Amino acid sequence: MTIAGTDSGGGAGIAADLRAFTACGVHGCLAVCAVTVQNSVGVTGVHTIPVDTIAGQIATVASDIGLQAAKTGMLANAEIIAAVAEACDANGIGAGRATPLVVDPVAASMHGDPLLASEALDAYRHTLFPRATLVTPNLDEIRLLVEHDVRDRDGQYAAAKALHALGPRAVLVKGGHLPAGDGAADGCLDLLYDGETFLELPGPRFDTGHTHGGGDSLAASIAAGLARAMDLEAAVRFGKRYIVEAVRNSYPLGAGHGPVSPLWAIRPWWDED
């Protein structure tokens, strides 16, 4: 299940999550937390969903279909974050429970601008992170959440420790936003930390501006791996493989940033006789 906001342009948010779920071979369910007015250039409006409706979406799916994994995306405000945490508790979702939870703390735009008020950041830190199986912030979100301005590999390690201290089972510090030319940024290295062991996950860096929905897609593909009964390390490796190919095959769309693509994973049945 994805617990997140929509993207009317189809590139990020719930749209990206469902695309990734399908490409990774799992059935996707959803709980809509916010509806955005959005295209490839940016977001011009947000309508939040009542918290009882959000909780109801989670509960009604969990009680009938069942959930093997869940991930969060845009949660918009502190009230929604608290409601999602309560709904997760009530339906067996989160670290140490039957259903693992991947928290993608959408707190900054792809340009690094803050999207959440300080009380919402506190709700992430103290309410949702302690329930998370894995958190997957980018470097701009790390700066907002733990005030670490990550500029190199050592900074990634320090940020991982600071984030883990907030209570999640594990942290994935993504390196895609490290500036090109930095020794640590020759490729795109993500760092997984479970409180005891660090695991470096290198990957290629592509010269493209079409990375819209990349963070959503990575978290969703990791959740898909967990839903397929992989352990956490295997699921993160699975997600890393997916997002590398999704960025490699990204495409232009509209006048702004195009999305990462799940289409590389789909067999072109329409070309068959």
Side-chain angles (χ1 to χ4, degrees):
M1 169 174 273
T2 169
I3 306 167
T6 67
D7 172 4
S8 49
I14 281 175
D17 293 340
L18 293 178
R19 282 153 54 106
F21 288 162
T22 299
C24 293
V26 299
H27 174 78
C29 302
L30 58 112
V32 180
C33 297
V35 176
T36 71
V37 180
Q38 184 174 173
N39 58 21
S40 69
V41 177
V43 179
T44 57
V46 177
H47 173 74
T48 57
I49 304 299
V51 293
D52 57 344
T53 301
I54 296 170
Q57 292 174 87
I58 297 169
T60 197
V61 171
S63 65
D64 171 39
I65 298 170
L67 298 173
Q68 282 69 54
K71 61 87 61 181
T72 66
M74 178 186 177
L75 300 183
N77 59 45
E79 183 184 17
I80 290 175
I81 293 169
V84 167
E86 291 178 9
C88 286
D89 288 349
N91 293 281
I93 302 168
R97 299 173 181 267
T99 303
L101 176 64
V102 178
V103 173
D104 185 24
V106 179
S109 74
M110 66 182 300
H111 303 292
D113 300 318
L115 296 176
L116 296 177
S118 59
E119 60 267 23
L121 293 172
D122 281 340
Y124 265 124
R125 295 182 190 105
H126 305 303
T127 303
L128 206 52
F129 276 21
R131 292 168 164 83
T133 305
L134 177 72
V135 296
T136 62
N138 64 34
L139 300 189
D140 292 317
E141 289 155 353
I142 288 168
R143 175 173 45 82
L144 294 171
L145 288 160
V146 293
E147 299 181 347
H148 279 249
D149 189 10
V150 178
R151 297 181 180 275
D152 53 27
R153 188 74 50 80
D154 289 343
Q156 282 186 281
Y157 276 78
K161 290 179 180 179
L163 286 159
H164 190 268
L166 295 175
R169 175 185 165 193
V171 176
L172 184 67
V173 176
K174 297 179 292 189
H177 288 183
L178 281 174
D182 190 306
D186 294 338
C188 185
L189 184 135
D190 300 328
L191 183 67
L192 179 65
Y193 178 57
D194 64 2
E196 296 182 358
T197 303
F198 288 97
L199 177 65
E200 294 187 355
L201 297 159
R205 181 176 294 272
F206 300 103
D207 184 15
T208 178
H210 302 308
T211 57
H212 189 47
D216 308 293
S217 299
L218 175 58
S221 56
I222 293 170
L226 293 170
R228 297 180 64 166
M230 297 177 189
D231 63 32
L232 183 59
E233 180 181 330
V236 172
R237 290 185 181 277
F238 179 81
K240 179 75 174 184
R241 179 184 176 193
Y242 173 78
I243 197 61
V244 165
E245 295 305 321
V247 175
R248 190 195 307 274
N249 290 277
S250 64
Y251 53 86
L253 188 72
H257 297 279
V260 301
S261 176
L263 302 178
W264 67 272
I266 298 173
R267 178 176 58 85
W269 56 268
W270 53 88
D271 288 337
E272 297 177 356
D273 293 332

